[in-house]
Amino acid sequence: MHFRPAVPADLDVLNQLELDCFDSDRISPRSMRRFLKRSSPIFRLAEHDGEVLGYGLLLCHKGTSLARLYSLAVSPRAQGQGLGRQLMAQLEQAAEVAERRFIRLEVRTDNAAAIHLYQSQGYKIIGKRAGYYEDGGDALCLEKRLHPAHPQPENLPFFSQTTPFTCGPAALMMALHHQDHGRPLDRNEEIQLWREATTVYMTTGLGGTSPFGLAAAAARRGFEVAVWASHLDVPFLSSVRSAHKRDVMTLVHESFINECAQLQVELAVKQLTLPDIRRLLDEGWALLVLISTWRLNRNKAPHWVWLVSMDDDHAYLNDPDTDEEYDRRDLDNLFMPVRLDELNALTRYGQQRYRASVMVRRR
Ligand SMILES: CC(C)(COP(=O)(O)OP(=O)(O)OC[C@H]1O[C@@H](n2cnc3c(N)ncnc32)[C@H](O)[C@@H]1OP(=O)(O)O)[C@@H](O)C(=O)NCCC(=O)NCCS
């Protein structure tokens, strides 16, 4: 058996394997072509006497230490002879070379062969998705840590933002819900929080949410809240050209600052260091941090995530921005491991390297 990276010339044989191995949820020929063209996936074939008998495809997400097993298939002619196991070993080796620490995957609950294979290779069940497949079948989510790492807390809440401008509300909702299970985790609350915390304008499109607006919204809901930021002036004002927009953003900002004072939100010009994060998490604070999505998907946008926890070499983020276009589902964005040196670069935005974090804790 010979293992090698897949190349665009393998397209037809891979499309045929999809037909032979899967009854539904096949990778479309268009997506297959896309995966073959991209350089970031780990795509390996098993070949015998020039015949392709199986493949495995791992997606590696930029800026994180995570890889997702997107597909694994062995031709029915070659199944049950150890090939699936060998392909998994090949993928794991390549994942380690690509500095991945975690592999996650989804598998149908009725796929006994695959579940047996994964569990015997050290994959552990971390969740279940009802009605996940085209035909309504359920999925199990499994994960393997290639090196021992921090365990994922049970029942960690996750909410995918439902608009491009509600990352802040979605991240805040998850953090508040985690602290107090009575807090809602739904679209009504998502939009309500946005209306309370939006900056109204941004460079383009609708405004996102301001750290001070989010802080006031959390304080109004009875939480203890603090904001640490590079400065307490209007965030991103210099990136907006229109004088009218700047005027409105300033007005909104001033009202947030007043509200924060009334609600006893602590505002500080301070940079969050790794020892600070460790201490604040130990003290029971939930941390929302502003990041630049540049390092994750090469789209430069300010974006809010919830920093759930941290160990010696990774921080774990709940990122509400799931996006099929970038192959990011909740499996990828929940408890997403990011190396600590990467975190430092991730948590600053734009040329001015603006940093902001909102901390919330149940009173
Ligand atoms: C799942 C799949 C990749 C496994 O590949 P394979 O080459 O047949 O697997 P292996 O021969 O390496 O077997 C791995 C383990 O699974 C076990 N296994 C294989 N078929 C099984 C079955 N039908 N039921 C239970 N266990 C089975 C083997 O006994 C072996 O375990 P062991 O070493 O403890 O005996 C292959 O069956 C396949 O392509 N299926 C269709 C596509 C698919 O379901 N892909 C997975 C999507 S998540």
Side-chain angles (χ1 to χ4, degrees), residues 185-199:
L185 198 59
D186 58 34
R187 285 194 84 183
N188 285 333
E189 180 74 347
E190 178 191 16
I191 301 299
Q192 175 61 32
L193 284 168
W194 178 74
R195 291 170 60 198
E196 290 177 43
T198 181
T199 54

Side-chain angles (χ1 to χ4, degrees), residues 275-345:
D276 289 329
I277 296 176
R278 223 177 280 287
R279 177 178 55 78
L280 290 162
L281 290 172
D282 284 347
E283 290 172 3
W285 292 91
L287 306 183
L288 304 190
V289 288
L290 188 81
I291 64 166
S292 165
T293 53
W294 175 250
R295 303 183 76 86
L296 298 178
N297 59 20
R298 294 295 181 253
N299 268 346
K300 209 180 220 168
H303 181 55
W304 286 105
V305 297
W306 168 28
L307 195 162
V308 180
S309 87
M310 188 164 99
D311 59 22
D312 290 343
D313 43 17
H314 285 88
Y316 299 87
L317 311 179
N318 267 21
D319 176 353
D321 187 18
T322 54
D323 191 340
E324 283 293 330
E325 198 189 328
Y326 293 103
D327 301 303
R328 281 183 184 271
R329 302 181 191 164
D330 54 357
L331 184 71
D332 304 289
N333 285 24
L334 176 114
F335 210 61
M336 183 174 96
V338 171
R339 277 202 337 261
L340 294 183
D341 53 345
E342 187 70 32
L343 183 74
N344 188 40

Side-chain angles (χ1 to χ4, degrees), residues 108-222:
R108 290 183 72 100
T109 48
D110 57 6
N111 191 343
I115 293 172
H116 175 90
L117 167 61
Y118 300 138
Q119 289 192 316
S120 68
Q121 298 280 101
Y123 288 77
K124 303 265 185 291
I125 296 174
I126 55 165
K128 203 172 176 177
R129 303 276 181 275
Y132 180 79
Y133 292 102
E134 277 166 15
D135 63 356
D138 300 338
L140 286 178
C141 306
L142 282 82
E143 178 183 80
K144 179 167 178 177
R145 279 132 202 271
L146 300 179
H147 296 278
H150 202 60
Q152 178 172 327
E154 274 180 33
N155 301 323
L156 202 57
F158 188 78
F159 186 89
S160 288
Q161 64 190 82
T162 66
T163 78
F165 43 84
T166 44
C167 53
L172 180 61
M173 262 198 305
M174 291 191 260
L176 297 187
H177 184 84
H178 187 57
Q179 299 244 338
D180 172 0
H181 297 326
R183 293 292 329 154
L185 198 59
D186 58 34
R187 285 194 84 183
N188 285 333
E189 180 74 347
E190 178 191 16
I191 301 299
Q192 175 61 32
L193 284 168
W194 178 74
R195 291 170 60 198
E196 290 177 43
T198 181
T199 54
V200 181
Y201 285 121
M202 273 292 275
T203 335
T204 54
L206 286 166
T209 43
S210 136
F212 310 102
L214 287 173
R220 228 175 275 127
R221 284 159 179 74

